[in-house]
Amino acid sequence: MPPVRRSPVRVLPLLLSVLLAGCGAPAPRDGAERDVRAAVADWSRMPPAELSGIPLEGWAYEVSAVRRDGAAATARAELRYRLSGYDAAAAGTAREVRLSRDGGRWHVTGDRPAPGALPQLWDQGPVAVVRGAHALVLGVGQQAGTLSEIAAEADRAVPAADAAWPGPWPGRAVVLVPGSLERMAELLGRPAAEYRGMGAVTTGRVGAAPAPADRVVVNPQGWGELSPAGRGVVLTHEVTHVATRAATTETTPQWLSEGFADWAAYRGTPATPEQAAPALARAVRRGEVPGELPRAQDFAFGGDPEALARAYEGAWLACRLIAGRWGEAALVDLYRRAGREPWPAAVRGALGMDPDALTKDWQEALRAEFR
């Protein structure tokens, strides 16, 4: 939030003291608290040695509160840092720094995520670093060969996403590879069951405001179950979300966001609708043509896997239809408009039709494809 700028005014000293008292002026810090804050500042001047392989910059702990208990203290702080060459803005995370007093001096004994805050990857163990041409891969508990393979896949995924999305974006990706599905869930703050069977997910805020680079978080269990072709599709899908983040807002239909990412992932591959959309093909052949384009709730994990598959497949085929009939530029235009205009206006502006007509065309295309 930008600072509030106030014009200077002249007031009588007595009036000034009354105003300060009424506004609740902060209580002065005692010497012990000042010493604790100074100890944290000295300790946090640079990242710890065990993180030296990670390209960190702007590393700083800003203490917001101190709690003391005899010769022990805990400082609540906000850690700010960037991954050099990847983050457009500083990432932030709440930490608890523990200290002890020995010989009249305070010493930091460790830090951890503050209550309610998500852990960082390095909280889970030593971090291995692999740099690719377009990606930075950070892993814990993984073989070096696995991280190198993921980096090579990311280096293919970034140009594929760039070719599908002509809009401005950094053209690089940060990939986190925790040691297990459970560790992945810890990083994301969600139950592990929500990610079982998934190869990867992408974090990050939608919108055009400056933000740290999105992180693609790999599920090592799901990744290991994918074919080489499947790994390419999954990683390109996730990197495409990174590319389109600035154009994605709360008004962007989820089917368009997920369908576009799949369209980018399958673009240029020999995959056919029969191969890539088997669940939807089975449903259409049973006479179960969807009555509408997939809704946001249809993409929720933890429910019927067939229904989830149909949602992703239907979204992909809708974007494939648009790109094939109106052109790839029209699909990109629709995506951009959907992030800043009401949906009916976006469809009319990009495709020259109303949303109901688009839905009907999509339904007819499904019947024709899977008859």
Side-chain angles (χ1 to χ4, degrees):
M1 180 180 295
V4 177
R5 299 189 181 275
R6 296 183 175 89
S7 300
V9 294
R10 296 181 180 274
V11 294
L12 293 174
L14 178 60
L15 177 59
L16 178 59
S17 65
V18 171
L19 288 174
L20 287 176
C23 292
R29 297 168 183 162
D30 60 29
E33 179 172 340
R34 287 196 300 270
D35 290 345
V36 167
R37 289 173 177 268
V40 173
D42 289 342
W43 167 79
S44 64
R45 290 187 189 281
M46 62 181 64
E50 58 268 26
L51 303 184
S52 60
I54 305 174
L56 295 166
E57 65 178 13
W59 182 272
Y61 282 70
E62 182 178 344
V63 176
S64 59
V66 173
R67 184 175 68 254
R68 301 190 310 279
D69 183 10
T74 301
R76 176 74 179 241
E78 179 79 2
L79 168 60
R80 308 287 291 177
Y81 67 91
R82 296 186 188 195
L83 293 178
S84 180
Y86 293 88
D87 287 345
T93 182
R95 307 289 292 183
E96 271 193 351
V97 183
R98 290 162 290 169
L99 304 94
S100 64
R101 188 170 55 195
D102 181 22
R105 293 175 60 85
W106 288 98
H107 304 275
V108 173
T109 58
D111 85 314
R112 61 189 177 191
L118 298 179
Q120 299 295 297
L121 184 66
W122 54 79
D123 290 319
Q124 299 180 344
V127 178
V129 181
V130 176
R131 295 172 183 259
H134 305 291
L136 177 70
V137 179
L138 308 177
V140 170
Q142 298 293 331
Q143 297 293 328
T146 299
L147 299 182
S148 296
E149 291 171 2
I150 292 174
E153 201 63 71
D155 277 348
R156 289 187 285 270
V158 169
D162 198 50
W165 180 253
W169 73 291
R172 52 190 179 268
V174 177
V175 184
L176 308 183
V177 190
S180 66
L181 168 63
E182 290 70 27
R183 291 296 198 178
M184 174 196 188
E186 286 179 8
L187 293 177
L188 299 170
R190 303 292 299 174
E194 292 190 10
Y195 305 112
R196 186 165 285 110
M198 297 178 63
V201 299
T202 302
T203 68
R205 302 189 300 271
V206 298
D214 299 337
R215 310 306 193 222
V216 177
V217 186
V218 169
N219 168 14
Q221 177 181 311
W223 183 265
E225 297 169 355
L226 292 169
S227 67
R231 291 173 181 175
V233 167
V234 165
L235 211 50
T236 303
H237 176 108
E238 300 305 333
V239 171
T240 301
H241 282 315
V242 176
T244 58
R245 180 191 65 79
T248 308
T249 71
E250 298 297 335
T251 67
T252 306
Q254 190 163 352
W255 74 259
L256 183 58
S257 175
E258 298 298 343
F260 188 93
D262 263 356
W263 172 76
Y266 284 117
R267 181 177 177 270
T269 74
T272 65
E274 192 70 41
Q275 296 167 330
L280 189 55
R282 288 190 292 270
V284 172
R285 288 184 178 127
R286 290 195 302 266
E288 300 171 6
V289 176
E292 59 185 337
L293 286 159
R295 304 161 299 171
Q297 57 265 38
D298 296 332
F299 294 95
F301 284 85
D304 179 4
E306 279 281 306
L308 180 63
R310 290 195 299 270
Y312 275 92
E313 293 167 5
W316 166 56
L317 288 171
C319 289
R320 183 175 181 268
L321 168 67
I322 294 167
R325 184 172 299 180
W326 287 275
E328 295 185 1
L331 176 59
V332 171
D333 184 37
L334 176 64
Y335 198 106
R336 287 175 172 151
R337 289 174 179 270
R340 62 177 189 261
E341 300 175 5
W343 178 240
V347 177
R348 283 195 299 270
L351 308 181
M353 65 194 317
D354 61 51
D356 288 342
L358 174 60
T359 300
K360 290 176 182 177
D361 282 358
W362 170 69
Q363 292 168 325
E364 289 303 317
L366 294 181
R367 293 187 183 96
E369 188 68 54
F370 301 125
R371 54 174 178 251

